[in-house]
PDB file of all heavy atoms in Angstrom:
ATOM      1  N   THR G   6      22.662  32.044  30.873  1.00  0.00           N
ATOM      2  CA  THR G   6      22.065  30.775  30.513  1.00  0.00           C
ATOM      3  C   THR G   6      22.918  29.956  29.511  1.00  0.00           C
ATOM      4  O   THR G   6      22.708  28.758  29.408  1.00  0.00           O
ATOM      5  CB  THR G   6      20.681  30.960  29.890  1.00  0.00           C
ATOM      6  OG1 THR G   6      20.777  31.859  28.812  1.00  0.00           O
ATOM      7  CG2 THR G   6      19.747  31.514  30.942  1.00  0.00           C
ATOM      8  N   ASP G   7      23.853  30.647  28.847  1.00  0.00           N
ATOM      9  CA  ASP G   7      24.747  29.893  27.968  1.00  0.00           C
ATOM     10  C   ASP G   7      26.150  29.603  28.589  1.00  0.00           C
ATOM     11  O   ASP G   7      27.139  29.345  27.858  1.00  0.00           O
ATOM     12  CB  ASP G   7      24.939  30.661  26.679  1.00  0.00           C
ATOM     13  CG  ASP G   7      25.612  32.016  26.856  1.00  0.00           C
ATOM     14  OD1 ASP G   7      25.707  32.422  28.073  1.00  0.00           O
ATOM     15  OD2 ASP G   7      25.985  32.580  25.885  1.00  0.00           O
ATOM     16  N   ALA G   8      26.190  29.505  29.865  1.00  0.00           N
ATOM     17  CA  ALA G   8      27.434  29.266  30.615  1.00  0.00           C
ATOM     18  C   ALA G   8      27.919  27.825  30.435  1.00  0.00           C
ATOM     19  O   ALA G   8      29.056  27.576  30.417  1.00  0.00           O
ATOM     20  CB  ALA G   8      27.330  29.598  32.081  1.00  0.00           C
ATOM     21  N   VAL G   9      26.951  26.927  30.277  1.00  0.00           N
ATOM     22  CA  VAL G   9      27.252  25.509  30.040  1.00  0.00           C
ATOM     23  C   VAL G   9      26.586  25.023  28.763  1.00  0.00           C
ATOM     24  O   VAL G   9      25.338  25.245  28.583  1.00  0.00           O
ATOM     25  CB  VAL G   9      26.730  24.639  31.233  1.00  0.00           C
ATOM     26  CG1 VAL G   9      27.077  23.224  31.027  1.00  0.00           C
ATOM     27  CG2 VAL G   9      27.399  25.181  32.571  1.00  0.00           C
ATOM     28  N   HIS G  10      27.390  24.474  27.839  1.00  0.00           N
ATOM     29  CA  HIS G  10      26.858  24.035  26.586  1.00  0.00           C
ATOM     30  C   HIS G  10      26.765  22.539  26.505  1.00  0.00           C
ATOM     31  O   HIS G  10      27.609  21.840  27.036  1.00  0.00           O
ATOM     32  CB  HIS G  10      27.810  24.462  25.448  1.00  0.00           C
ATOM     33  CG  HIS G  10      28.042  26.024  25.385  1.00  0.00           C
ATOM     34  ND1 HIS G  10      27.104  26.828  24.685  1.00  0.00           N
ATOM     35  CD2 HIS G  10      28.948  26.836  25.888  1.00  0.00           C
ATOM     36  CE1 HIS G  10      27.493  28.065  24.763  1.00  0.00           C
ATOM     37  NE2 HIS G  10      28.599  28.129  25.486  1.00  0.00           N
ATOM     38  N   VAL G  11      25.759  22.099  25.820  1.00  0.00           N
ATOM     39  CA  VAL G  11      25.593  20.619  25.569  1.00  0.00           C
ATOM     40  C   VAL G  11      25.756  20.438  24.091  1.00  0.00           C
ATOM     41  O   VAL G  11      25.111  21.052  23.236  1.00  0.00           O
ATOM     42  CB  VAL G  11      24.153  20.195  25.960  1.00  0.00           C
ATOM     43  CG1 VAL G  11      23.988  18.738  25.720  1.00  0.00           C
ATOM     44  CG2 VAL G  11      23.893  20.453  27.487  1.00  0.00           C
ATOM     45  N   GLY G  12      26.694  19.522  23.785  1.00  0.00           N
ATOM     46  CA  GLY G  12      26.943  19.173  22.341  1.00  0.00           C
ATOM     47  C   GLY G  12      26.198  17.939  21.981  1.00  0.00           C
ATOM     48  O   GLY G  12      25.025  17.726  22.343  1.00  0.00           O
ATOM     49  N   LEU G  13      26.906  17.032  21.298  1.00  0.00           N
ATOM     50  CA  LEU G  13      26.289  15.778  20.849  1.00  0.00           C
ATOM     51  C   LEU G  13      25.889  14.944  22.080  1.00  0.00           C
ATOM     52  O   LEU G  13      26.667  14.910  23.005  1.00  0.00           O
ATOM     53  CB  LEU G  13      27.179  15.048  19.875  1.00  0.00           C
ATOM     54  CG  LEU G  13      27.477  15.684  18.562  1.00  0.00           C
ATOM     55  CD1 LEU G  13      28.511  14.861  17.765  1.00  0.00           C
ATOM     56  CD2 LEU G  13      26.273  15.905  17.746  1.00  0.00           C
ATOM     57  N   VAL G  14      24.769  14.222  21.912  1.00  0.00           N
ATOM     58  CA  VAL G  14      24.386  13.234  22.915  1.00  0.00           C
ATOM     59  C   VAL G  14      24.234  11.919  22.145  1.00  0.00           C
ATOM     60  O   VAL G  14      23.656  11.867  21.005  1.00  0.00           O
ATOM     61  CB  VAL G  14      22.999  13.678  23.588  1.00  0.00           C
ATOM     62  CG1 VAL G  14      22.534  12.534  24.499  1.00  0.00           C
ATOM     63  CG2 VAL G  14      23.223  14.984  24.325  1.00  0.00           C
ATOM     64  N   SER G  15      24.702  10.907  22.826  1.00  0.00           N
ATOM     65  CA  SER G  15      24.465   9.529  22.185  1.00  0.00           C
ATOM     66  C   SER G  15      23.957   8.540  23.253  1.00  0.00           C
ATOM     67  O   SER G  15      24.203   8.692  24.497  1.00  0.00           O
ATOM     68  CB  SER G  15      25.849   9.020  21.644  1.00  0.00           C
ATOM     69  OG  SER G  15      26.769   8.825  22.702  1.00  0.00           O
ATOM     70  N   ILE G  16      23.185   7.647  22.736  1.00  0.00           N
ATOM     71  CA  ILE G  16      22.710   6.525  23.557  1.00  0.00           C
ATOM     72  C   ILE G  16      22.931   5.264  22.723  1.00  0.00           C
ATOM     73  O   ILE G  16      22.164   4.987  21.756  1.00  0.00           O
ATOM     74  CB  ILE G  16      21.152   6.687  23.842  1.00  0.00           C
ATOM     75  CG1 ILE G  16      20.933   7.948  24.739  1.00  0.00           C
ATOM     76  CG2 ILE G  16      20.641   5.409  24.646  1.00  0.00           C
ATOM     77  CD1 ILE G  16      19.456   8.202  25.035  1.00  0.00           C
ATOM     78  N   PRO G  17      23.895   4.409  23.077  1.00  0.00           N
ATOM     79  CA  PRO G  17      24.212   3.213  22.239  1.00  0.00           C
ATOM     80  C   PRO G  17      22.972   2.309  22.079  1.00  0.00           C
ATOM     81  O   PRO G  17      22.740   1.816  21.007  1.00  0.00           O
ATOM     82  CB  PRO G  17      25.247   2.526  23.071  1.00  0.00           C
ATOM     83  CG  PRO G  17      25.930   3.668  23.842  1.00  0.00           C
ATOM     84  CD  PRO G  17      24.775   4.585  24.213  1.00  0.00           C
ATOM     85  N   GLN G  18      22.173   2.136  23.153  1.00  0.00           N
ATOM     86  CA  GLN G  18      21.026   1.250  23.089  1.00  0.00           C
ATOM     87  C   GLN G  18      20.205   1.450  24.320  1.00  0.00           C
ATOM     88  O   GLN G  18      20.581   1.949  25.367  1.00  0.00           O
ATOM     89  CB  GLN G  18      21.342  -0.182  22.851  1.00  0.00           C
ATOM     90  CG  GLN G  18      22.070  -0.780  24.129  1.00  0.00           C
ATOM     91  CD  GLN G  18      22.405  -2.233  23.951  1.00  0.00           C
ATOM     92  OE1 GLN G  18      22.417  -2.713  22.855  1.00  0.00           O
ATOM     93  NE2 GLN G  18      22.738  -2.904  25.039  1.00  0.00           N
ATOM     94  N   PHE G  19      18.890   1.082  24.196  1.00  0.00           N
ATOM     95  CA  PHE G  19      17.959   1.021  25.285  1.00  0.00           C
ATOM     96  C   PHE G  19      17.864  -0.495  25.803  1.00  0.00           C
ATOM     97  O   PHE G  19      17.912  -1.417  25.049  1.00  0.00           O
ATOM     98  CB  PHE G  19      16.565   1.462  24.879  1.00  0.00           C
ATOM     99  CG  PHE G  19      16.503   2.918  24.557  1.00  0.00           C
ATOM    100  CD1 PHE G  19      16.338   3.290  23.214  1.00  0.00           C
ATOM    101  CD2 PHE G  19      16.576   3.925  25.498  1.00  0.00           C
ATOM    102  CE1 PHE G  19      16.281   4.647  22.910  1.00  0.00           C
ATOM    103  CE2 PHE G  19      16.530   5.214  25.226  1.00  0.00           C
ATOM    104  CZ  PHE G  19      16.358   5.662  23.914  1.00  0.00           C
ATOM    105  N   GLY G  20      17.770  -0.569  27.127  1.00  0.00           N
ATOM    106  CA  GLY G  20      17.621  -1.866  27.718  1.00  0.00           C
ATOM    107  C   GLY G  20      16.240  -2.083  28.236  1.00  0.00           C
ATOM    108  O   GLY G  20      15.662  -1.230  28.932  1.00  0.00           O
ATOM    109  N   PHE G  21      15.642  -3.278  27.842  1.00  0.00           N
ATOM    110  CA  PHE G  21      14.287  -3.492  28.271  1.00  0.00           C
ATOM    111  C   PHE G  21      14.231  -4.842  29.084  1.00  0.00           C
ATOM    112  O   PHE G  21      15.074  -5.600  29.119  1.00  0.00           O
ATOM    113  CB  PHE G  21      13.356  -3.713  26.996  1.00  0.00           C
ATOM    114  CG  PHE G  21      13.413  -2.597  26.101  1.00  0.00           C
ATOM    115  CD1 PHE G  21      14.139  -2.594  24.909  1.00  0.00           C
ATOM    116  CD2 PHE G  21      12.640  -1.405  26.305  1.00  0.00           C
ATOM    117  CE1 PHE G  21      14.220  -1.510  24.055  1.00  0.00           C
ATOM    118  CE2 PHE G  21      12.656  -0.336  25.486  1.00  0.00           C
ATOM    119  CZ  PHE G  21      13.424  -0.390  24.324  1.00  0.00           C
ATOM    120  N   SER G  22      13.091  -4.933  29.821  1.00  0.00           N
ATOM    121  CA  SER G  22      12.914  -6.175  30.570  1.00  0.00           C
ATOM    122  C   SER G  22      12.782  -7.376  29.668  1.00  0.00           C
ATOM    123  O   SER G  22      12.520  -7.251  28.434  1.00  0.00           O
ATOM    124  CB  SER G  22      11.705  -6.045  31.423  1.00  0.00           C
ATOM    125  OG  SER G  22      10.560  -6.005  30.653  1.00  0.00           O
ATOM    126  N   LYS G  23      12.967  -8.560  30.198  1.00  0.00           N
ATOM    127  CA  LYS G  23      12.827  -9.736  29.409  1.00  0.00           C
ATOM    128  C   LYS G  23      11.480  -9.945  28.747  1.00  0.00           C
ATOM    129  O   LYS G  23      11.273 -10.341  27.607  1.00  0.00           O
ATOM    130  CB  LYS G  23      13.102 -11.000  30.298  1.00  0.00           C
ATOM    131  CG  LYS G  23      13.127 -12.349  29.506  1.00  0.00           C
ATOM    132  CD  LYS G  23      13.525 -13.487  30.376  1.00  0.00           C
ATOM    133  CE  LYS G  23      13.629 -14.764  29.658  1.00  0.00           C
ATOM    134  NZ  LYS G  23      12.419 -15.060  28.796  1.00  0.00           N
ATOM    135  N   ALA G  24      10.451  -9.605  29.537  1.00  0.00           N
ATOM    136  CA  ALA G  24       9.036  -9.632  28.994  1.00  0.00           C
ATOM    137  C   ALA G  24       8.897  -8.757  27.743  1.00  0.00           C
ATOM    138  O   ALA G  24       8.278  -9.139  26.738  1.00  0.00           O
ATOM    139  CB  ALA G  24       8.031  -9.250  30.090  1.00  0.00           C
ATOM    140  N   VAL G  25       9.492  -7.582  27.877  1.00  0.00           N
ATOM    141  CA  VAL G  25       9.371  -6.619  26.724  1.00  0.00           C
ATOM    142  C   VAL G  25      10.150  -7.108  25.562  1.00  0.00           C
ATOM    143  O   VAL G  25       9.761  -7.081  24.362  1.00  0.00           O
ATOM    144  CB  VAL G  25       9.853  -5.212  27.082  1.00  0.00           C
ATOM    145  CG1 VAL G  25       9.917  -4.303  25.882  1.00  0.00           C
ATOM    146  CG2 VAL G  25       8.896  -4.633  28.128  1.00  0.00           C
ATOM    147  N   ARG G  26      11.357  -7.583  25.805  1.00  0.00           N
ATOM    148  CA  ARG G  26      12.218  -8.201  24.716  1.00  0.00           C
ATOM    149  C   ARG G  26      11.503  -9.367  24.058  1.00  0.00           C
ATOM    150  O   ARG G  26      11.524  -9.502  22.802  1.00  0.00           O
ATOM    151  CB  ARG G  26      13.562  -8.655  25.289  1.00  0.00           C
ATOM    152  CG  ARG G  26      14.401  -7.521  25.798  1.00  0.00           C
ATOM    153  CD  ARG G  26      15.874  -7.988  25.860  1.00  0.00           C
ATOM    154  NE  ARG G  26      16.017  -9.109  26.706  1.00  0.00           N
ATOM    155  CZ  ARG G  26      16.264  -9.113  27.997  1.00  0.00           C
ATOM    156  NH1 ARG G  26      16.239  -7.986  28.676  1.00  0.00           N
ATOM    157  NH2 ARG G  26      16.456 -10.276  28.652  1.00  0.00           N
ATOM    158  N   ASP G  27      10.831 -10.202  24.832  1.00  0.00           N
ATOM    159  CA  ASP G  27      10.099 -11.379  24.229  1.00  0.00           C
ATOM    160  C   ASP G  27       8.997 -10.851  23.315  1.00  0.00           C
ATOM    161  O   ASP G  27       8.735 -11.406  22.245  1.00  0.00           O
ATOM    162  CB  ASP G  27       9.573 -12.256  25.357  1.00  0.00           C
ATOM    163  CG  ASP G  27      10.630 -12.988  26.127  1.00  0.00           C
ATOM    164  OD1 ASP G  27      11.863 -13.042  25.621  1.00  0.00           O
ATOM    165  OD2 ASP G  27      10.356 -13.475  27.206  1.00  0.00           O
ATOM    166  N   THR G  28       8.306  -9.811  23.813  1.00  0.00           N
ATOM    167  CA  THR G  28       7.190  -9.251  22.954  1.00  0.00           C
ATOM    168  C   THR G  28       7.732  -8.688  21.685  1.00  0.00           C
ATOM    169  O   THR G  28       7.106  -8.963  20.631  1.00  0.00           O
ATOM    170  CB  THR G  28       6.466  -8.186  23.758  1.00  0.00           C
ATOM    171  OG1 THR G  28       5.948  -8.787  25.006  1.00  0.00           O
ATOM    172  CG2 THR G  28       5.349  -7.586  22.988  1.00  0.00           C
ATOM    173  N   LEU G  29       8.805  -7.993  21.752  1.00  0.00           N
ATOM    174  CA  LEU G  29       9.371  -7.404  20.523  1.00  0.00           C
ATOM    175  C   LEU G  29       9.857  -8.521  19.514  1.00  0.00           C
ATOM    176  O   LEU G  29       9.737  -8.373  18.324  1.00  0.00           O
ATOM    177  CB  LEU G  29      10.587  -6.468  20.924  1.00  0.00           C
ATOM    178  CG  LEU G  29      10.173  -5.190  21.688  1.00  0.00           C
ATOM    179  CD1 LEU G  29      11.444  -4.483  22.144  1.00  0.00           C
ATOM    180  CD2 LEU G  29       9.354  -4.270  20.852  1.00  0.00           C
ATOM    181  N   GLU G  30      10.434  -9.538  20.127  1.00  0.00           N
ATOM    182  CA  GLU G  30      10.890 -10.654  19.269  1.00  0.00           C
ATOM    183  C   GLU G  30       9.688 -11.352  18.644  1.00  0.00           C
ATOM    184  O   GLU G  30       9.819 -11.716  17.380  1.00  0.00           O
ATOM    185  CB  GLU G  30      11.698 -11.640  20.081  1.00  0.00           C
ATOM    186  CG  GLU G  30      13.098 -11.191  20.545  1.00  0.00           C
ATOM    187  CD  GLU G  30      13.798 -12.175  21.450  1.00  0.00           C
ATOM    188  OE1 GLU G  30      13.205 -13.319  21.627  1.00  0.00           O
ATOM    189  OE2 GLU G  30      14.884 -11.841  21.914  1.00  0.00           O
ATOM    190  N   LYS G  31       8.628 -11.513  19.247  1.00  0.00           N
ATOM    191  CA  LYS G  31       7.494 -12.165  18.656  1.00  0.00           C
ATOM    192  C   LYS G  31       6.907 -11.281  17.531  1.00  0.00           C
ATOM    193  O   LYS G  31       6.491 -11.740  16.478  1.00  0.00           O
ATOM    194  CB  LYS G  31       6.359 -12.402  19.738  1.00  0.00           C
ATOM    195  CG  LYS G  31       6.744 -13.490  20.683  1.00  0.00           C
ATOM    196  CD  LYS G  31       5.629 -13.665  21.748  1.00  0.00           C
ATOM    197  CE  LYS G  31       6.028 -14.754  22.722  1.00  0.00           C
ATOM    198  NZ  LYS G  31       4.964 -14.949  23.781  1.00  0.00           N
ATOM    199  N   LYS G  32       6.883  -9.984  17.740  1.00  0.00           N
ATOM    200  CA  LYS G  32       6.438  -9.027  16.721  1.00  0.00           C
ATOM    201  C   LYS G  32       7.305  -9.106  15.524  1.00  0.00           C
ATOM    202  O   LYS G  32       6.820  -9.072  14.381  1.00  0.00           O
ATOM    203  CB  LYS G  32       6.409  -7.616  17.216  1.00  0.00           C
ATOM    204  CG  LYS G  32       5.191  -7.269  18.148  1.00  0.00           C
ATOM    205  CD  LYS G  32       5.153  -5.841  18.511  1.00  0.00           C
ATOM    206  CE  LYS G  32       3.896  -5.510  19.303  1.00  0.00           C
ATOM    207  NZ  LYS G  32       3.823  -4.026  19.593  1.00  0.00           N
ATOM    208  N   ALA G  33       8.620  -9.212  15.744  1.00  0.00           N
ATOM    209  CA  ALA G  33       9.575  -9.209  14.625  1.00  0.00           C
ATOM    210  C   ALA G  33       9.434 -10.612  13.817  1.00  0.00           C
ATOM    211  O   ALA G  33       9.436 -10.542  12.639  1.00  0.00           O
ATOM    212  CB  ALA G  33      10.931  -9.095  15.133  1.00  0.00           C
ATOM    213  N   GLU G  34       9.160 -11.672  14.519  1.00  0.00           N
ATOM    214  CA  GLU G  34       8.989 -12.945  13.906  1.00  0.00           C
ATOM    215  C   GLU G  34       7.691 -12.989  13.113  1.00  0.00           C
ATOM    216  O   GLU G  34       7.670 -13.629  12.039  1.00  0.00           O
ATOM    217  CB  GLU G  34       8.952 -14.033  14.937  1.00  0.00           C
ATOM    218  CG  GLU G  34      10.328 -14.286  15.588  1.00  0.00           C
ATOM    219  CD  GLU G  34      10.305 -15.256  16.777  1.00  0.00           C
ATOM    220  OE1 GLU G  34       9.180 -15.728  17.053  1.00  0.00           O
ATOM    221  OE2 GLU G  34      11.366 -15.526  17.343  1.00  0.00           O
ATOM    222  N   SER G  35       6.644 -12.321  13.545  1.00  0.00           N
ATOM    223  CA  SER G  35       5.377 -12.359  12.939  1.00  0.00           C
ATOM    224  C   SER G  35       5.431 -11.567  11.572  1.00  0.00           C
ATOM    225  O   SER G  35       4.623 -11.810  10.695  1.00  0.00           O
ATOM    226  CB  SER G  35       4.305 -11.775  13.808  1.00  0.00           C
ATOM    227  OG  SER G  35       4.527 -10.364  14.052  1.00  0.00           O
ATOM    228  N   HIS G  36       6.351 -10.666  11.502  1.00  0.00           N
ATOM    229  CA  HIS G  36       6.519  -9.943  10.240  1.00  0.00           C
ATOM    230  C   HIS G  36       7.404 -10.749   9.325  1.00  0.00           C
ATOM    231  O   HIS G  36       7.689 -10.324   8.171  1.00  0.00           O
ATOM    232  CB  HIS G  36       7.051  -8.531  10.487  1.00  0.00           C
ATOM    233  CG  HIS G  36       6.145  -7.659  11.272  1.00  0.00           C
ATOM    234  ND1 HIS G  36       4.922  -7.270  10.742  1.00  0.00           N
ATOM    235  CD2 HIS G  36       6.261  -7.047  12.511  1.00  0.00           C
ATOM    236  CE1 HIS G  36       4.307  -6.440  11.592  1.00  0.00           C
ATOM    237  NE2 HIS G  36       5.042  -6.365  12.700  1.00  0.00           N
TER     238      HIS G  36
END
């Protein structure tokens, strides 16, 4: 089971639909 090792994993960013991005922007503006 240790024949293959996984080291660091990175995800630069998540991509969302325009509708979700608009919702997140409105939430950020309201704060």
Side-chain angles (χ1 to χ4, degrees):
T6 56
D7 63 345
V9 179
H10 300 277
V11 179
L13 295 175
V14 175
S15 64
I16 298 179
Q18 66 179 17
F19 293 108
F21 304 100
S22 66
K23 185 178 184 305
V25 171
R26 293 199 305 271
D27 290 343
T28 300
L29 293 173
E30 289 175 3
K31 288 179 181 179
K32 282 187 177 182
E34 291 171 358
S35 65
H36 293 296

